[in-house]
Amino acid sequence: MAEKKEVYLGYTTDKALTPWYVEWLAALEQERIMKSVCTSCKAEYLPPRQHCQKCLSVTEFADFTETEAKLVSYVIVDFAPESLSSKAPYVVAIGEFPSGLRLTAHITNLMSLPEVGMALKLGFDRVDDKKVTYRWLV
Ligand SMILES: [Zn+2]
């Protein structure tokens, strides 16, 4: 039986432990993320998608090594869903890497209000044995 793991964004392996998903989890376990690249039109996706939203072709995983980004947008969540209510208020931010790919994640180490354009760094946390998270650090 496969070991159960959870990903920060609310996905769990209870629902679909596909080979694609297993590869994504394995990368997270090694504290790295993967992008996906369309096998037809070469569009790139972060987080990865199994199918290209432009041409519907399948995608394949590719290493993603960028860790520095700029804040392009954020929201301060005061009224959180039940599962995150203990963390409210918290900040969810969209960071853009130099390649132009964007990633949404929490910022967890803010000492003041975020500012569009500020530098972000991709970080990883091990919440417990079964959960690996990625987040923005400032
Ligand atoms: Zn495509």
Side-chain angles (χ1 to χ4, degrees):
M1 183 174 167
E3 182 180 350
K4 291 185 177 181
K5 295 178 187 273
E6 291 184 19
V7 178
Y8 188 64
L9 295 177
Y11 306 112
T12 69
T13 54
D14 295 340
K15 295 177 181 164
L17 193 59
T18 64
W20 189 90
Y21 194 64
V22 167
E23 191 169 347
W24 166 249
L25 290 175
L28 278 179
E29 185 68 29
Q30 297 169 7
E31 298 189 357
R32 59 190 180 90
I33 56 176
M34 305 286 282
K35 65 182 176 182
S36 63
V37 181
C38 175
T39 56
S40 179
C41 75
K42 306 303 181 195
E44 296 183 340
Y45 298 96
L46 185 68
R49 305 173 61 99
Q50 291 186 22
H51 294 90
C52 178
Q53 69 181 23
K54 295 177 181 170
C55 73
L56 304 180
S57 298
V58 296
T59 65
E60 54 189 19
F61 277 120
D63 288 329
F64 185 78
T65 57
E66 296 176 77
T67 58
E68 310 281 332
K70 295 278 188 206
L71 178 64
V72 295
S73 186
Y74 68 92
V75 62
I76 299 172
V77 179
D78 287 315
F79 300 98
E82 179 68 28
S83 62
L84 294 172
S85 61
S86 67
K87 298 184 184 307
Y90 57 86
V91 176
V92 177
I94 299 173
E96 184 174 281
F97 294 98
S99 64
L101 290 175
R102 293 180 173 188
L103 187 67
T104 302
H106 290 202
I107 303 177
T108 58
N109 66 340
L110 280 169
M111 299 302 286
S112 61
L113 286 175
E115 293 182 33
V116 170
M118 69 190 302
L120 300 173
K121 184 170 176 59
L122 186 64
F124 295 89
D125 285 330
R126 293 178 180 276
V127 177
D128 54 43
D129 289 346
K130 305 204 182 279
K131 187 181 289 182
V132 176
T133 67
Y134 62 84
R135 56 192 64 205
W136 293 119
L137 301 171
V138 294

